Amino acid sequence: MRYAIVGNGVAGINAANTLRHRDESASISLVSSERDHFFSRTALMYVACGQLSEACVEPYERDYYEKMGFTRVRERASGIDAANHQLIFDSGNRLEYDRLLLACGSVAVAPPWPGSDIGGVGHFVTWDDLTWLRREMTQAKRAVVVGGGLIGIEVCEVLIQAGIETHFLIREKKFWPIALSAAESDVVVPHMKHHGCHVHLGTEMAEAVATNGRLSSVRLSDGSQLDCDLLVVAIGVRPQTDWLRETGIALDDRGGIIVDDQLKTNLRDVYAAGDCSSVVWFNGVQRPEQLWYTSRDQGVVAGHNMVGDAREYRRGTFYNSAKFFDIEYTTAGLVNFHVEGEVDWWQHEPGTYYTTRITYLPAENNRVIGFNGLGRRWDHSILVQWIEERRTLEWMLRHLGEANFDEEFMPRFAATVPVEGGR
Amino acid sequence: MQSGLMNTFQSGIKTRNWAAWAIAIALFAFYILIYFDYALGILGPVAERLGMGIWTLYGLMYTIAMIIGGIYFLHKHGNSRYHQVRTIVVVLVQIIFAFSIPLVMEIFDSKGFILSLFWPLKIEYFYPQNIFTYPLTLVLYAFLSFVIGVPLLTYFYGKRWYCSWVCGCGGLAETAGDPFRHLSDRKAKAWKFEQWSIHLVMFAAFATTAMVIINWSLHHTSPDGQWITQYPLFDSIATTVQKGYQTVVVAMLSGVIGVGLYPLMGTRVWCRFFCPLAAILGIIQKLGRFRITVKPDMCISCGNCSTYCEMGIDVRQYAQNNQSFKRAACVGCGMCAHVCPRGVLRLENKADLRESADKERRPIVDM
Ligand SMILES: Cc1cc2nc3c(=O)[nH]c(=O)nc-3n(C[C@H](O)[C@H](O)[C@H](O)COP(=O)(O)OP(=O)(O)OC[C@H]3O[C@@H](n4cnc5c(N)ncnc54)[C@H](O)[C@@H]3O)c2cc1C
Ligand code: SF4
Ligand code: SF4
């Protein structure tokens, strides 16, 4: 069997591992023009700030591809000849496959305002972006970061520790509205400011202004102007599927490759996994899910299906984690999903940035549907289990200590807010 | 939690530049002057002029290095409770048990005894000609602590109770050595080497001690008051082995190389590759309760844990495979858990490893 995989990211490599595990003699080709070695994209910020070296973010040792018998193809794919089972490259070369996996990930969303192609403006998604940012950081004095999400805040942290004056523009009135409540944002935003980040809530970009072809300032939607020499645009990512538009593959309205529950696309013997694939969510919506965890799981499932194991991809209950400067964040289940009748139980431990929010449904005997925690560490797998077991808020508050994952000697968690005290 | 480690790889001295080499060479030279003073006679006179023996001077410098290093460490990592408690304990143990008590004993004209060292790290504690010069309580302490105390504590809390909470070698690594912790080799090859080297030294420690004890028991006091043996050949072999162990393992491996290589190969070269006590503790740790629990499915494979593990354990490999683990080498310093940006790892003393969660995840469709 000849397997070809476009993309050497977490979805691609996990599919390759699974294929090798299931088929010792298969020929497995990994196509990527980004980098020779699989690296952890989630750790880009740590390389940028010097906490990790480039080699540190490679999860496998350098001889891994050889050991596993993976063939590297350093090409950019530009199309698929599905009828002839061939992958077409920019260079004109072709690669024959029996099964093809598209694990081509995401690209940064380009900004809608003028002036995005001038020097000093960029994104933070790819390895090239990392190289670019590190170069810019050696000279930058004043930087603007646009986009109130996870990549944005990571870039802010990197810039601030490099001693660069950093302005963080967030369109909404709070930070990361898709996941945080106003009260949680009110914990995170002062923390960012405490670290020296200039946070501008409710502020939109209007234009990047160049002088002699290089960024000199940005104009904001309220007309004011902010001088700067570096602009990082982090307003989201979208599936990297522009090169597939002519192939007849079915894409959703976000550009995600539509797959069935075995991650098959509409083209014969072509599968898709990771950031670029569009799966059906628990609520019936078809869309991509751009997370490390889901990409990894999809890669494994796709690998199994490619050898004929017939595995279903089941998303399961949502969980995620992140870090906002010093504040760790854990979530499980449905928070900020605006489920009808939902109520929040909320506790902010005085003098700390530790907060706990539990979303529950009073109409269903206080059944818990979601959890958001800042500061403390939580074992999301236990929380997920409780949510799936349809535990009540009262039960959960009594047992919450068991799901705590803080390091030893930390003051223990105690629920002090009464159940009716929730908002 | 903030780890205080940003910029590590932008700092030349932390990434083996010329200054790191210079420090390494200076440390090498210093340790040679210390351990081979009996032949070189350079530092001894200096110490005398300061009114102390060479080992007291060394102990003083060591303790000061740990205090300053401890302050530096807390400045960087003090936002972690575990690090706060551990660092204060390990520095206090050094000040009180490793430095002050022996010093006071010497002032009162008895031989200094370090309560925080055990055989075979302090191999003389099982050499009869040495230990029997101490009062009976200390003889019993040296013996019983190794036979009962050390194994029990290790069984329940892992080798960390010693290697990163009590031991002076570990103490220096965890304090003054902190800037270099990421330099440990985490390749599988290094792990292989470690398994051989550390058990080889452990064997050497057992063999040397056994020979010294046998040789001692074959001696007796002659009528004219001489300490003599009927087996002069064995005596000369045993003495040579004892001296060889002292030179190679104690002086070279624990001193010159162990500390000299800090800026080049990380701080735990001795602890990881050579320490015979660590080897024994490691075996007990594998049978015991201490382990590092991995929160399933949350690892982003960033590599912070593996990079800052001073024992060169590739923690990420376990974490991304959802495997809670016990590794003989782990000294329970807690750094992997501390630097993990997703809170995946936790040091625990629990009876059994948690099952890796391979269960099907059921969606909560009914919202
Ligand atoms: C800065 C940053 C931080 C993040 N942090 C988190 C986090 O904390 N938690 C989390 O869950 N997720 C995080 N993510 C998202 C996570 O990294 C992605 O979901 C994940 O990497 C997607 O993996 P993938 O294998 O699908 O695609 P990718 O890792 O994007 O890999 C796709 C590869 O395919 C290559 N490719 C694409 N098209 C072609 C072509 N035509 N020809 C050849 N090669 C091609 C690309 O160059 C790329 O190398 C973060 C992302 C970024 C950028
Ligand atoms: S595995 Fe963790 S606790 Fe153990 S030695 Fe390494 S960093 Fe320290
Ligand atoms: S366990 Fe934590 S530090 Fe280690 S690779 Fe995973 S996310 Fe990174």
Side-chain angles (χ1 to χ4, degrees):
Chain A
M1 266 295 187
R2 293 163 304 173
Y3 299 102
I5 301 172
V6 182
N8 193 6
V10 63
I13 199 84
N14 272 291
N17 286 342
T18 309
L19 290 172
R20 177 55 76 226
H21 178 65
R22 292 285 294 110
D23 184 348
E24 270 176 33
S25 61
S27 131
I28 302 169
S29 303
L30 280 155
V31 180
S32 175
S33 49
E34 187 179 13
R35 202 162 178 268
D36 274 0
H37 302 277
F38 165 53
F39 68 96
S40 174
R41 197 174 300 287
T42 48
L44 281 184
M45 71 163 283
Y46 296 105
V47 185
C49 71
Q51 180 161 325
L52 297 178
S53 70
E54 297 188 357
C56 292
V57 299
E58 291 168 9
Y60 302 117
E61 287 189 26
R62 281 274 164 111
D63 57 1
Y64 189 72
Y65 291 76
E66 250 166 62
K67 250 174 45 194
M68 297 294 282
F70 299 154
T71 312
R72 277 197 198 86
V73 182
R74 298 177 181 87
E75 297 256 24
R76 231 195 131 66
S78 56
I80 303 171
D81 181 350
N84 291 314
H85 279 73
Q86 285 180 342
L87 187 62
I88 308 167
F89 297 125
D90 260 355
S91 60
N93 292 339
R94 284 169 176 247
L95 178 71
E96 289 199 12
Y97 62 80
D98 297 312
R99 303 273 148 76
L100 172 67
L101 176 66
L102 303 172
C104 42
S106 302
V107 280
V109 171
W113 57 81
S116 56
D117 48 2
I118 54 180
V121 182
H123 303 287
F124 193 62
V125 175
T126 65
W127 195 263
D128 285 347
D129 293 340
L130 170 69
T131 313
W132 166 79
L133 186 69
R134 290 170 85 184
R135 202 175 51 236
E136 293 284 340
M137 275 167 57
T138 58
Q139 292 154 27
K141 301 254 163 349
R142 202 172 202 220
V144 172
V145 179
V146 192
L150 293 181
I151 298 180
I153 195 170
E154 288 188 356
V155 173
C156 287
E157 191 175 352
V158 167
L159 296 174
I160 284 169
Q161 65 77 37
I164 299 167
E165 181 185 327
T166 303
H167 294 262
F168 193 15
L169 308 188
I170 300 173
R171 187 172 56 186
E172 293 79 12
K173 286 274 185 290
K174 59 178 180 170
F175 171 69
W176 209 29
I178 59 163
L180 300 188
S181 67
E184 282 159 347
S185 168
D186 285 346
V187 171
V188 176
V189 171
H191 181 71
M192 285 191 248
K193 291 182 175 165
H194 166 77
H195 274 279
C197 184
H198 301 265
V199 185
H200 304 258
L201 292 175
T203 309
E204 270 194 81
M205 272 278 296
E207 189 183 359
V209 183
T211 311
N212 301 328
R214 252 203 81 90
L215 176 75
S216 58
S217 68
V218 296
R219 201 162 53 71
L220 307 180
S221 48
D222 62 6
S224 64
Q225 196 116 351
L226 196 61
D227 289 340
C228 61
D229 46 13
L230 174 60
L231 172 62
V232 183
V233 180
I235 54 173
V237 294
R238 62 180 178 86
Q240 188 165 4
T241 51
D242 293 343
W243 64 284
L244 293 166
R245 299 242 170 234
E246 313 286 295
T247 56
I249 205 163
L251 301 179
D252 72 8
D253 51 5
R254 291 179 168 88
I257 305 165
I258 296 177
V259 291
D260 64 12
D261 53 14
Q262 292 189 8
L263 305 182
K264 279 195 200 110
T265 70
N266 63 325
L267 298 183
R268 205 155 62 88
D269 294 327
V270 180
Y271 299 74
D275 274 18
C276 65
S277 77
S278 173
V279 294
V280 178
W281 285 35
F282 65 92
N283 53 0
V285 179
Q286 175 104 39
R287 56 167 300 177
E289 204 167 19
Q290 288 140 327
L291 286 175
W292 181 263
Y293 317 109
T294 48
S295 298
R296 175 197 63 205
D297 292 353
Q298 287 181 22
V300 172
V301 170
H304 277 295
N305 285 311
M306 288 165 78
V307 294
D309 284 346
R311 277 278 171 98
E312 248 179 64
Y313 173 68
R314 295 264 215 81
R315 173 57 174 93
T317 301
F318 184 83
Y319 67 90
N320 196 8
S321 70
K323 193 166 162 236
F324 317 120
F325 288 76
D326 307 353
I327 306 180
E328 289 176 23
Y329 165 70
T330 311
T331 186
L334 303 177
V335 280
N336 286 24
F337 252 81
H338 310 293
V339 177
E340 205 176 302
E342 70 174 25
V343 179
D344 283 344
W345 178 89
W346 154 264
Q347 175 171 307
H348 184 174
E349 295 172 50
T352 68
Y353 45 70
Y354 307 156
T355 71
T356 313
R357 173 157 69 108
I358 300 176
T359 304
Y360 64 100
L361 301 175
E364 290 185 39
N365 192 23
N366 287 355
R367 174 166 76 92
V368 170
I369 57 169
F371 177 96
N372 246 16
L374 288 179
R376 286 182 179 277
R377 289 179 172 177
W378 298 97
D379 186 338
H380 66 287
S381 65
I382 296 176
L383 298 168
V384 160
Q385 186 189 333
W386 289 344
I387 290 168
E388 290 174 349
E389 289 167 359
R390 311 169 72 87
R391 299 290 181 180
T392 64
L393 175 65
E394 292 79 358
W395 189 93
M396 194 111 146
L397 288 179
R398 272 199 311 278
H399 290 82
L400 210 48
E402 297 161 28
N404 185 266
F405 209 68
D406 283 326
E407 62 185 342
E408 293 157 294
F409 303 114
M410 270 280 280
R412 297 185 74 112
F413 172 83
T416 52
V417 175
V419 167
E420 312 77 53
R423 291 171 303 119
Chain B
M1 241 169 292
Q2 189 63 19
S3 62
L5 290 164
M6 291 184 160
N7 298 325
T8 299
F9 285 87
Q10 285 155 3
S11 153
I13 201 163
K14 294 180 188 171
T15 47
R16 305 190 182 108
N17 74 344
W18 60 268
W21 279 89
I23 295 177
I25 290 167
L27 285 170
F28 264 88
F30 174 72
Y31 272 90
I32 286 174
L33 288 181
I34 289 274
Y35 275 100
F36 298 94
D37 185 64
Y38 61 85
L40 300 168
I42 297 174
L43 268 191
V46 178
E48 240 163 70
R49 211 163 315 141
L50 295 170
M52 53 183 110
I54 184 167
W55 290 105
T56 307
L57 173 67
Y58 174 61
L60 183 65
M61 291 173 73
Y62 200 100
T63 308
I64 290 173
M66 268 183 68
I67 294 171
I68 295 173
I71 294 168
Y72 168 82
F73 184 93
L74 286 178
H75 171 70
K76 274 170 80 179
H77 310 293
N79 55 353
S80 148
R81 292 283 173 128
Y82 183 71
H83 282 332
Q84 281 171 13
V85 180
R86 194 181 52 68
T87 305
I88 290 170
V89 169
V90 77
V91 173
L92 283 181
V93 168
Q94 172 66 26
I95 295 174
I96 297 168
F97 293 99
F99 185 69
S100 304
I101 292 183
L103 190 66
V104 170
M105 287 168 81
E106 276 168 27
I107 289 171
F108 285 96
D109 262 351
S110 56
K111 250 174 99 180
F113 187 94
I114 301 178
L115 292 161
S116 55
L117 283 179
F118 306 103
W119 184 88
L121 178 55
K122 191 81 177 159
I123 194 150
E124 306 95 284
Y125 281 1
F126 277 17
Y127 290 170
Q129 67 270 43
N130 172 60
I131 195 70
F132 289 141
T133 59
Y134 288 102
L136 185 64
T137 35
L138 289 181
V139 177
L140 283 177
Y141 175 83
F143 183 71
L144 293 180
S145 57
F146 175 75
V147 177
I148 299 171
V150 168
L152 273 185
L153 282 169
T154 310
Y155 180 84
F156 286 105
Y157 302 107
K159 77 200 268 188
R160 58 175 171 162
W161 80 266
Y162 191 68
C163 297
S164 61
W165 283 73
V166 169
C167 179
C169 306
L172 188 69
E174 294 296 339
T175 53
D178 181 67
F180 307 116
R181 59 185 315 127
H182 57 286
L183 298 172
S184 324
D185 192 337
R186 63 178 173 281
K187 290 201 201 69
K189 257 193 228 147
W191 183 13
K192 255 192 209 122
F193 177 79
E194 161 197 322
Q195 287 170 314
W196 275 101
S197 61
I198 195 163
H199 293 117
L200 224 64
V201 176
M202 180 180 80
F203 174 77
F206 273 104
T208 308
T209 309
M211 283 177 89
V212 170
I213 293 174
I214 294 169
N215 189 32
W216 178 82
S217 64
L218 294 175
H219 276 71
H220 60 272
T221 316
S222 68
D224 56 357
Q226 296 277 348
W227 183 239
I228 56 160
T229 177
Q230 283 153 331
Y231 308 92
L233 179 64
F234 184 74
D235 180 57
S236 78
I237 295 175
T239 313
T240 312
V241 166
Q242 182 189 338
K243 278 197 185 133
Y245 187 91
Q246 176 66 25
T247 309
V248 175
V249 178
V250 179
M252 291 308 295
L253 294 180
S254 86
V256 180
I257 290 186
V259 182
L261 284 178
Y262 267 31
L264 304 177
M265 289 184 64
T267 48
R268 291 276 194 172
V269 172
W270 160 252
C271 314
R272 178 183 178 195
F273 295 112
F274 306 116
C275 176
L277 180 54
I280 296 170
L281 297 180
I283 293 167
I284 303 171
Q285 170 156 289
K286 288 287 275 187
L287 307 169
R289 297 198 164 180
F290 170 73
R291 43 71 190 287
I292 293 183
T293 301
V294 169
K295 181 155 83 178
D297 294 330
M298 196 59 106
C299 172
I300 53 170
S301 301
C302 67
N304 277 295
C305 52
S306 297
T307 301
Y308 289 100
C309 174
E310 56 194 346
M311 300 307 282
I313 297 173
D314 198 350
V315 183
R316 164 171 55 195
Q317 228 48 256
Y318 298 96
Q320 66 193 4
N321 292 331
N322 294 342
Q323 271 178 327
S324 299
F325 65 97
K326 293 177 179 175
R327 270 282 291 269
C330 172
V331 291
C333 64
M335 193 54 81
C336 55
H338 178 56
V339 296
C340 174
R342 295 296 176 267
V344 172
L345 308 162
R346 188 174 186 214
L347 280 59
E348 290 186 333
N349 314 305
K350 277 199 195 154
D352 45 24
L353 285 180
R354 186 172 150 185
E355 294 285 306
S356 59
D358 211 17
K359 66 183 174 71
E360 283 286 309
R361 264 179 298 185
R362 278 168 291 136
I364 36 164
V365 185
D366 45 346
M367 34 180 253

